[in-house]
Amino acid sequence: MKKIAYLLLIAGFLLGAYATSLDDQNVEWTMFVIAAIAAVVGVIIAKRADQADARADHVLEANRNELNESIANIVRDLDEMAGGDMPKDEHLRDWIDQKLRPDLRRFVEARGSMVHLYSLQTYADIMSEFAAGERYINRVWSSSADGYAEEAARYLKRAAGQFADARDQLARAGRS
């Protein structure tokens, strides 16, 4: 279905370009309107195919697992770091980039399924906590780069709290 949609879109643009290039003074409007309609229909079909793919059971289940696993990893890693000896400066930034960023990315890539799995309000609540935690992680990284170890430690604990709240809300949503 997507191939047909993309073919319609391409054909519409090519036909529209052809219709406008036939005469430098006049546009062949009938041909141009047909081309525009074909392109719009292609876009509509492609969007509907994308929506159907996003709601497929196997995609939703895979993304549910990604969400739960990645947020659990983030919380675990932050708790270990906040409870133990926190590396300083470059080592802290490397730890964030190597340990946290992959799970942050995984969560973000799967987040769209939360609306289909739970609700828009649940998505907003969880993403609010997640975004705050991510901002704190970025603050830790920046503080570390600027040599403010105390500030980095303070924001690392705040980030851990935000991600723990997001994890707990996700767990509650999964039980509902």
Side-chain angles (χ1 to χ4, degrees):
M1 190 56 102
K2 279 183 128 176
K3 286 183 182 180
I4 293 171
Y6 291 135
L7 285 174
L8 279 171
L9 186 61
I10 292 167
F13 279 111
L14 290 176
L15 186 60
Y18 178 73
T20 58
S21 69
L22 289 175
D23 187 351
D24 62 347
Q25 299 296 318
N26 297 314
V27 174
E28 178 61 46
W29 287 107
T30 305
M31 189 183 304
F32 185 81
V33 168
I34 291 170
I37 290 171
V40 167
V41 167
V43 168
I44 291 170
I45 292 172
K47 287 289 187 186
R48 287 192 178 166
D50 285 343
Q51 288 174 350
D53 289 346
R55 291 187 182 128
D57 289 339
H58 69 282
V59 171
L60 292 176
E61 191 56 36
N63 284 345
R64 179 193 320 262
N65 292 337
E66 285 292 306
L67 291 166
N68 288 318
E69 186 178 308
S70 60
I71 197 74
N73 290 346
I74 292 166
V75 171
R76 181 200 65 224
D77 293 341
L78 285 171
D79 285 345
E80 287 175 6
M81 181 60 66
D85 289 331
M86 190 173 80
K88 303 284 188 235
D89 303 326
E90 185 177 328
H91 297 292
L92 178 58
R93 293 188 303 276
D94 289 343
W95 178 83
I96 289 171
D97 291 340
Q98 293 169 3
K99 195 76 168 169
L100 292 180
R101 296 280 182 226
D103 285 316
L104 291 168
R105 241 181 249 110
R106 285 175 55 207
F107 189 90
V108 167
E109 288 171 1
R111 75 181 185 264
S113 292
M114 273 193 281
V115 174
H116 304 299
L117 289 166
Y118 311 116
S119 70
L120 185 58
Q121 185 60 52
T122 301
Y123 170 85
D125 293 342
I126 292 169
M127 286 310 298
S128 178
E129 297 293 331
F130 183 88
E134 193 172 31
R135 281 191 301 274
Y136 288 147
I137 291 297
N138 292 333
R139 183 86 181 251
V140 168
W141 198 98
S142 296
S143 298
S144 171
D146 293 339
Y148 297 111
E150 300 83 24
E151 184 177 345
R154 186 171 55 248
Y155 279 98
L156 190 69
K157 289 178 182 163
R158 288 184 184 179
Q162 295 294 146
F163 285 115
D165 289 345
R167 180 203 55 204
D168 295 345
Q169 286 183 31
L170 186 61
R172 281 193 302 275
R175 288 190 298 263
S176 304

